Amino acid sequence: MPTSNDRLESFGIYRLARKLFDDFWADSEALGKDYRGRELVKQQVRCLDSICANIEEGYGRGFGKELPQYLKIARGEAREAKGRYERCHHLLPSDLIAERLATLDHIIGGLTNTINTVERRKQVASEK
């Protein structure tokens, strides 16, 4: 577990992605009761883990040109996870799906804002 003064741990979108991954454990119990749900669980756990892992790797490589690349991959995984949650409507309650979709929208928006900020700062720095 990262220490409380870890720069990554202060990134709210990362904390939200970690919480969503943890929340998925309960979702996977409900999905796992159906053979079709078990197939969705296998893919969804990879997506949700990949969101966190790509943010971690991007931060681990520093704030150079690679950070936006990894954040874009994380954003793509978040969009994939969102679509998969939408397809789980047969097996999960609609209010739970709405909550997960709202969380993923927040993650996607936060990643987009962070990518834009990092790329803008890089551009300004290169113009100097």
Side-chain angles (χ1 to χ4, degrees):
M1 187 79 146
T3 60
S4 60
N5 59 3
D6 186 337
R7 170 177 63 161
L8 178 58
E9 197 61 30
S10 67
F11 184 37
I13 296 302
Y14 173 70
R15 287 194 318 270
L16 190 58
R18 293 262 318 254
K19 181 183 180 318
L20 181 60
F21 183 85
D22 290 342
D23 291 343
F24 182 69
W25 284 99
D27 302 348
S28 69
E29 290 294 320
L31 290 168
K33 293 177 182 176
D34 182 278
Y35 76 94
R36 294 159 294 194
R38 286 190 292 277
E39 291 303 314
L40 292 168
V41 166
K42 290 176 186 179
Q43 293 299 314
Q44 191 71 328
V45 75
R46 288 182 185 108
C47 277
L48 296 173
D49 178 59
S50 187
I51 296 167
C52 298
N54 278 290
I55 294 170
E56 292 161 354
E57 186 162 359
Y59 266 70
R61 292 176 179 263
F63 286 87
K65 69 178 184 175
E66 291 178 322
L67 177 60
Q69 174 186 345
Y70 282 96
L71 295 181
K72 287 175 184 177
I73 294 168
R75 182 178 60 188
E77 294 290 343
R79 291 193 59 78
E80 182 179 339
K82 183 178 172 184
R84 192 164 289 109
Y85 262 119
E86 290 169 343
R87 292 187 296 279
C88 288
H89 71 275
H90 298 287
L91 299 169
L92 292 175
S94 59
D95 59 332
L96 179 95
I97 291 174
E99 180 183 326
R100 300 298 188 252
L101 294 178
T103 299
L104 284 158
D105 282 339
H106 190 88
I107 291 169
I108 291 164
L111 288 170
T112 299
N113 289 339
T114 304
I115 291 163
N116 291 340
T117 298
V118 171
E119 288 180 338
R120 202 170 27 252
R121 285 181 185 162
K122 264 185 4 187
Q123 185 178 9
V124 168
S126 70
E127 291 173 357
K128 289 184 179 183

